Amino acid sequence: MDNGGATFGGVSFASLGLLLTRANIPLLPETIQTEEELEGLDGTVDVETRYGPRLIELEVSLITEDEASYQIALQQMAKVFNARAGVRPLILDRMTGKRWMCKYNGRIPIDKIASLGEFTLPFKAFFPFSESVTDSMTQLEYGLGYSYGMGLRYETPPAFSVTTSPTLRTLYHAGTHETYPVIRLVGAGSNITVSNTTTGETLTLNLNMVAGDVLEINCAPLEQTIQKNGSSALSGVNGTFPRLVEGDNNISISGAGLNMTVSFIFRHTYLY
């Protein structure tokens, strides 16, 4: 039994009068399998495997002193778990170094709450993987909630000066699932290439930057954008937006007239 607590969107369960008694989180999300049948062939051909959203169920008890405080607690709960507010971080006290980005999904029969004082809060994580509670630009230190077994290293944040071509760096991703960084370039350069030679992914940027320019590359699928000083700069871009895989990733930055600082901003991402 899980006797710990949790926070959702920065609000502790304890402040709502809730006690988390059990957290049901599947070891892996449900698979979405693509298969093909071929004439004359037994079985099927495994074409692709993807993961669907992860459903999380939290069994809780509502603890109040009287009926009036009970009704107030219900009112507060409805506000905190309002699904229209969008996805927010769910952090369990038993694993304070990880967050699940999710939102309330389902229904809680009010008569069940009233009669038993115990009920299940259903959540859906559309992005089905857990993430570190801070991003890579936060220096690791005691008190952030991280625990042994997450694979984290006490390293300086991944921001470095680039004045020669190519500039090579090794970036470490502790998570067990790939992560997609935001790459921020500040300074001058042209015909810039960003490569992760570990994965073989290269992005070429046929543009010019001068001192003070800020270029941000969001590598996340469905969010892939490139902005220069706040405006879209996707024209003249070729290649593949690079990701980071588990372990060491060998990064190469090349181009002409480079005098910039490059930062890789990401969260360590885990299958569980």
Side-chain angles (χ1 to χ4, degrees):
M1 177 177 292
D2 184 354
N3 290 313
T7 61
F8 181 68
V11 179
S12 71
F13 277 29
S15 69
L16 299 172
L18 296 175
L19 174 65
L20 176 63
T21 58
R22 182 182 296 274
N24 298 316
I25 303 177
L27 181 63
L28 289 168
E30 183 177 354
T31 57
I32 300 174
Q33 185 71 35
T34 302
E35 303 174 355
E36 234 180 73
E37 294 184 3
L38 298 181
E39 185 176 352
L41 179 69
D42 294 327
T44 58
V45 177
D46 182 358
V47 177
E48 180 187 32
T49 300
R50 295 179 292 115
Y51 284 118
R54 191 184 310 242
L55 302 180
I56 299 173
E57 293 183 338
L58 303 183
E59 297 179 15
V60 297
S61 296
L62 178 59
I63 304 171
T64 56
E65 296 179 354
D66 50 41
E67 180 62 24
S69 57
Y70 173 79
Q71 293 299 327
I72 292 174
L74 293 181
Q75 176 178 293
Q76 292 175 327
M77 285 172 51
K79 178 180 179 180
V80 170
F81 299 123
N82 178 16
R84 288 189 173 181
V87 296
R88 284 177 284 181
L90 171 67
I91 302 173
L92 304 182
D93 287 350
R94 72 180 190 184
M95 52 173 87
T96 53
K98 295 180 180 179
R99 71 178 194 176
W100 304 88
M101 294 303 294
C102 57
K103 69 178 183 179
Y104 168 75
N105 180 77
R107 61 189 297 267
I108 305 173
I110 191 68
D111 57 338
K112 184 176 182 182
I113 298 177
S115 62
L116 298 179
E118 297 180 350
F119 54 98
T120 299
L121 286 171
F123 293 92
K124 177 180 281 190
F126 298 91
F127 177 73
F129 310 109
S130 66
E131 304 173 315
S132 57
V133 291
T134 58
D135 66 32
S136 57
M137 300 307 292
T138 301
Q139 179 68 56
L140 290 183
E141 59 184 32
Y142 290 107
L144 292 178
Y146 291 113
S147 59
Y148 292 107
M150 291 185 64
L152 299 171
R153 296 176 181 173
Y154 284 93
E155 298 179 331
T156 56
F160 50 92
S161 175
V162 175
T163 56
T164 59
S165 178
T167 293
L168 307 178
R169 285 292 187 276
T170 298
L171 301 185
Y172 176 67
H173 170 43
T176 54
H177 187 266
E178 61 197 20
T179 189
Y180 294 87
V182 171
I183 307 170
R184 181 178 296 147
L185 294 76
V186 181
S190 62
N191 300 322
I192 302 162
T193 297
V194 181
S195 300
N196 183 346
T197 59
T198 301
T199 63
E201 295 163 339
T202 296
L203 191 67
T204 301
L205 311 165
N206 297 313
L207 48 76
N208 294 314
M209 296 177 62
V210 299
D213 280 349
V214 178
L215 187 75
E216 282 204 346
I217 306 168
N218 187 341
C219 299
L222 302 181
E223 300 177 24
Q224 293 176 342
T225 58
I226 298 177
Q227 290 197 324
K228 178 183 176 184
N229 300 328
S231 299
S232 178
L234 276 171
S235 60
V237 174
N238 298 290
T240 304
F241 286 80
R243 63 201 158 109
L244 301 178
V245 293
E246 179 180 4
D248 289 330
N249 292 258
N250 297 314
I251 303 299
S252 171
I253 310 293
S254 60
L258 298 177
N259 186 12
M260 61 176 56
T261 298
V262 178
S263 305
F264 278 71
I265 307 163
F266 62 93
R267 293 179 187 266
H268 302 281
T269 305
Y270 299 83
L271 287 166
Y272 179 82

